């Protein structure tokens, strides 16, 4: 692969760069999340794939950059950043949690080389809409939503300075996902694997099963105990399911 462009360097984080040519797993974070959320997953899968963590603008080392509050625009920018990583000979798998699942779907629609698989976590199918307006809440309401999802260390949320750094990106992400509307289009050709928590207020079993309508490939649904961030409670089991989905499209299964 040629040296990645500066655009790609801005968006893509490699925690465990592969020495050899191996399949790649593009990991897209949840609303308010950052690429570093995927470090443990990268460490666990480094013998199988090279994990490319996506870093959205407005957080961590990109904190001073303008936020993007539109899913379509985010998907286009991520697709552009991934272009140097595409290789006809190397499978690329997309994996996203919550907002990242929808972004994974929209990126899959745009890639010039179709992905080998899409793994969608903690999110209803793209065409299943709810009337959600969290992004319109005041800062206190937005912080309460963040706490209720249990995806951020409570001690960090008790720090007002940290909250003030986190909330703008969180609000932009919520605006992006809550105003997103899936445009009609052909189903994906790649397999879709869906992972959810059985007590996740953001997705029901029926809403998760509806992902089946968005692919002409195979479909699998796996349910874990837990809420929206079930995957932090069941890291080993979730990683195993992701590994199975990877192996199924790379010939190792």
């Amino acid at each position: 692969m040629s040296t990645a462009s500066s655009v790609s360097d801005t968006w893509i984080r490699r925690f465990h760069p592969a020495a050899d040519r191996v399949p790649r797993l593009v990991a897209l974070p949840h609303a308010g999340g950052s690429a570093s959320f995927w470090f443990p997953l990268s460490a666990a899968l480094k013998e199988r794939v090279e994990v490319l963590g996506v870093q959205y603008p407005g957080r961590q080392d990109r904190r001073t950059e303008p936020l993007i509050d539109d899913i379509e625009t985010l998907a286009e920018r991520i697709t552009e950043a991934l272009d140097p990583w595409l290789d006809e000979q190397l499978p690329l798998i997309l994996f996203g949690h919550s907002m990242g699942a929808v972004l994974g779907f929209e990126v899959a629609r745009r890639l010039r080389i179709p992905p080998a698989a899409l793994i969608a976590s903690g999110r209803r199918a793209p065409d299943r809409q709810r009337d959600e307006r969290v992004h319109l809440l005041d800062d206190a309401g937005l912080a309460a939503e963040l706490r209720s999802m249990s995806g951020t260390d409570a001690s960090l949320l008790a720090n007002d300075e940290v909250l003030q750094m986190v909330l703008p990106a969180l609000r932009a992400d919520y605006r992006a996902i809550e105003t997103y509307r899936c445009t009609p289009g052909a189903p994906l050709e790649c397999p879709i694997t869906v992972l959810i928590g059985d007590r996740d207020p953001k997705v029901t079993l029926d809403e998760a099963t509806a992902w089946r309508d968005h692919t002409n490939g195979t479909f699998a649904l796996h349910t874990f105990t837990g809420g929206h961030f079930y995957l932090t409670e069941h890291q080993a089991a979730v990683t195993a399911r992701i590994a199975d989905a990877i192996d199924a499209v790379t010939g190792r299964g």
Side-chain angles (χ1 to χ4, degrees):
M1 185 195 72
S2 61
T3 301
S5 69
S6 58
V7 171
S8 183
D9 290 342
T10 300
W11 286 84
I12 304 301
R13 301 290 175 271
R14 300 166 70 200
F15 302 114
H16 301 91
D20 302 317
R21 288 168 54 80
V22 297
R24 295 178 177 121
L25 178 75
V26 177
L28 300 117
H30 51 281
S34 58
S36 60
F37 183 78
W38 302 121
F39 183 89
L41 182 70
S42 178
L45 293 175
K46 64 182 179 181
E47 302 302 324
R48 236 183 203 92
V49 294
E50 181 175 45
V51 172
L52 305 178
V54 175
Q55 185 79 307
Y56 308 140
R59 58 217 76 199
Q60 293 185 332
D61 56 330
R62 301 189 68 187
R63 190 164 61 86
T64 60
E65 296 182 37
L67 296 163
I68 298 175
D69 59 2
D70 174 75
I71 291 294
E72 300 281 348
T73 303
L74 272 169
E76 289 165 7
R77 301 284 177 81
I78 294 166
T79 302
E80 178 186 1
L82 287 174
D83 195 70
W85 300 96
L86 300 180
D87 188 321
E88 292 276 7
Q89 307 304 315
L90 293 178
L92 183 139
I93 298 101
L94 294 164
F95 169 52
H97 178 63
S98 195
M99 182 183 81
V102 172
L103 278 170
F105 172 74
E106 288 294 341
V107 169
R109 287 174 138 187
R110 291 167 167 77
L111 290 175
R112 61 180 174 83
I113 299 176
L118 170 64
I119 306 171
S121 166
R123 184 68 191 180
R124 54 192 177 271
D127 60 331
R128 292 300 183 98
Q129 304 296 332
R130 294 186 187 182
D131 184 15
E132 296 177 313
R133 306 180 185 186
V134 175
H135 71 280
L136 297 177
L137 297 175
D138 60 15
D139 284 356
L142 198 58
E145 168 75 8
L146 188 58
R147 293 187 183 96
S148 72
M149 291 295 102
S150 302
T152 306
D153 188 328
S155 64
L156 293 178
L157 296 181
N159 185 313
D160 286 341
E161 185 176 348
V162 171
L163 265 181
Q164 291 309 309
M165 288 192 295
V166 169
L167 289 182
L170 184 67
R171 188 180 301 282
D173 288 352
Y174 267 86
R175 184 180 296 111
I177 195 60
E178 291 179 346
T179 59
Y180 166 75
R181 297 295 179 268
C182 181
T183 57
L188 302 179
E189 296 298 326
C190 67
I192 293 181
T193 297
V194 176
L195 313 174
I196 62 169
D198 63 357
R199 298 190 304 277
D200 187 347
K202 296 294 186 181
V203 55
T204 66
L205 183 61
D206 177 68
E207 289 171 328
T209 303
W211 277 97
R212 186 192 302 272
D213 299 331
H214 293 277
T215 180
N216 289 326
T218 58
F219 174 81
L221 172 63
H222 304 286
T223 303
F224 299 83
T225 58
H228 193 58
F229 283 92
Y230 73 91
L231 68 176
T232 61
E233 303 169 34
H234 303 286
Q235 286 190 14
V238 171
T239 299
R241 287 298 187 186
I242 294 171
D244 289 343
I246 293 168
D247 290 348
V249 297
T250 59
R252 293 184 59 174

